[in-house]
Amino acid sequence: MMARYLPVRACLFASLFGVATSLVGPAPAFRHARSPVVRSVLAEPSVASPAELAKDFDLKAYFAKKVAAVEKALDESLTCTTPETKIIVESMRYSLLAGGKRVRPVMCIAACEMFGGTEAMAMPTAVAIEMIHTMSLIHDDLPAMDNDDLRRGMPTNHVIYGDDVAILAGDALLSTSFEHCAVGSTAEGIPAERIVETIRRLGEAVGAVGLAGGQVMDLECEAKSGVSLEELTWIHTHKTAKLLEVSVAAGAVLAGAAKDDVRQCETYANDIGIAFQVADDILDVTATSEMLGKTAGKDEDTDKTTYPKLMGLDGARAEADRLYSEAIDSLAPYGEKAVPLIAIAKYIVERQN
């Protein structure tokens, strides 16, 4: 009697298994699935969410420690070796050491440590990234670009040294960044293939599909009306998010992370990079020049397309929150090791300057 029903039970089991498979997909896809259904199937009730893990993390103390190390490394990275280079090195140091939050180098270090690397391994690349970022600010402030006289509460580079020296100082910082990454990383004993991949990523981040391309698109869109949300997102994916993306991905690469893990880092950084720009646009509307350390309200004065302009202030705030949630979800597989990056993401969307 029992034997008659075995085929029926087997069919029923196979049917149920097929339904389950159609809902959650095959096992290898579990790790990187973004579906709420998958997360609910995989999550253990006792496992804290990424946001809960970072809730009690002392980001201020973490940043104080990391930024102190970064500032020391930045100061040591540029020295005047001949009288002939005095002016250009002085101009480079003026902007490189002018303060700032140092978010990108700290993110590079945090990503490296998340995968078992060390601060020392990441530091040459962290410094290189800050050199590239500083170059972009010097050039961005030029009269031919955004024409800003104030940066971090100080006169911009071209105001002090003139347009010509400012342009060349930016160029020198860019070329020095690759040299510093290569020499410093080699000295740390990092495998050559990781260094080459890091340098490749740095080059891509600053080129036609990175900072330069995003900036050109930004300039083109300033001269036309009806800029779409898709166009604005393309601009800031390349102009803003790309350097945050390479910061996190390079840290992971230097530590020897697997390709799938590097892609998770890219997803996190791209989301938080766009959130960074959304937050920046919101601050331009809501903060004062004293709070920002640069000219407030400039986007509105120049009729620049921004997220608040396209989505409204409340819509922009909601978009920043959405991007933050998606970003930290990408780091869920790494548990407590991801806490610094999760806390940094929260800071980026909630910052006041």
Side-chain angles (χ1 to χ4, degrees):
M1 185 74 173
M2 198 69 171
R4 289 176 54 198
Y5 292 97
L6 283 175
V8 176
R9 290 177 179 177
C11 290
L12 179 60
F13 176 78
S15 176
L16 289 172
F17 181 77
V19 171
T21 302
S22 69
L23 285 174
V24 302
F30 281 172
R31 182 172 188 177
H32 301 293
R34 304 299 291 269
S35 165
V37 174
V38 176
R39 287 200 300 272
S40 67
V41 170
L42 296 178
E44 298 176 18
S46 60
V47 176
S49 69
E52 289 170 339
L53 284 171
K55 187 170 62 174
D56 298 322
F57 182 71
D58 190 346
L59 184 62
K60 186 175 181 180
Y62 178 83
F63 250 84
K65 182 180 178 182
K66 296 299 183 187
V67 169
V70 169
E71 293 289 354
K72 183 175 183 294
L74 290 171
D75 186 39
E76 293 171 351
S77 69
L78 289 177
T79 57
C80 181
T81 56
T82 65
E84 292 80 6
T85 61
K86 180 178 183 297
I87 294 298
I88 191 163
V89 172
E90 185 182 295
S91 176
M92 294 163 72
R93 285 177 62 86
Y94 175 79
S95 292
L96 186 64
L97 303 177
K101 291 175 276 292
R102 311 302 191 196
V103 170
R104 292 160 190 82
V106 172
M107 290 175 82
C108 180
I109 294 166
C112 187
E113 292 179 335
M114 184 169 76
F115 292 104
T118 65
E119 179 180 287
M121 289 172 64
M123 190 61 77
T125 301
V127 168
I129 289 166
E130 195 66 3
M131 286 179 176
I132 293 172
H133 176 56
T134 301
M135 173 278 297
S136 74
L137 298 182
I138 293 173
H139 286 179
D140 208 37
D141 290 334
L142 288 166
M145 304 284 267
D146 282 356
N147 193 23
D148 255 315
D149 294 335
L150 196 66
R151 171 71 65 178
R152 294 169 177 165
M154 299 169 62
T156 47
N157 197 292
H158 68 274
V159 171
I160 300 294
Y161 296 98
D163 295 4
D164 48 2
V165 173
I167 292 169
L168 293 168
D171 294 344
L173 280 167
L174 178 58
S175 59
T176 303
S177 70
F178 295 105
E179 176 190 4
H180 192 82
C181 176
V183 174
S185 299
T186 302
E188 287 299 324
I190 297 169
E193 62 272 17
R194 298 184 197 174
I195 299 173
V196 171
E197 174 62 9
T198 298
I199 292 172
R200 183 196 70 77
R201 287 174 175 271
L202 289 174
E204 181 186 79
V206 81
V209 290
L211 290 173
Q215 183 68 52
V216 169
M217 183 69 167
D218 194 21
L219 292 169
E220 288 181 352
C221 286
E222 281 183 9
K224 74 174 189 177
S225 58
V227 176
S228 68
L229 184 60
E230 289 75 19
E231 288 173 315
L232 185 65
T233 299
W234 193 95
I235 289 168
H236 292 301
T237 296
H238 297 80
K239 178 184 173 182
T240 307
K242 195 69 176 177
L243 200 51
L244 286 168
E245 180 186 305
V246 75
S247 300
V248 180
V253 168
L254 290 166
K259 288 182 179 180
D260 284 349
D261 292 318
V262 175
R263 279 193 287 270
Q264 290 288 92
C265 288
E266 289 171 340
T267 299
Y268 157 83
N270 185 67
D271 283 338
I272 212 59
I274 300 299
F276 186 98
Q277 185 60 48
V278 176
D280 219 43
D281 288 353
I282 292 169
L283 287 171
D284 190 73
V285 176
T286 60
T288 65
S289 296
E290 290 73 25
M291 290 170 64
L292 294 178
K294 60 181 180 179
T295 308
K298 201 166 187 299
D299 291 343
E300 188 174 359
D301 292 342
T302 58
D303 198 29
K304 189 172 184 178
T305 302
T306 65
Y307 285 94
K309 183 177 180 180
L310 292 182
M311 307 177 79
L313 199 53
D314 289 341
R317 285 174 173 146
E319 177 67 358
D321 289 341
R322 182 191 71 79
L323 289 163
Y324 162 74
S325 297
E326 188 169 285
I328 64 171
D329 187 55
S330 300
L331 300 182
Y334 311 112
E336 291 188 2
K337 292 180 180 179
V339 163
L341 286 175
I342 295 168
I344 290 170
K346 182 176 174 62
Y347 160 75
I348 282 173
V349 297
E350 294 182 354
R351 65 197 170 93
Q352 297 301 309
N353 57 38

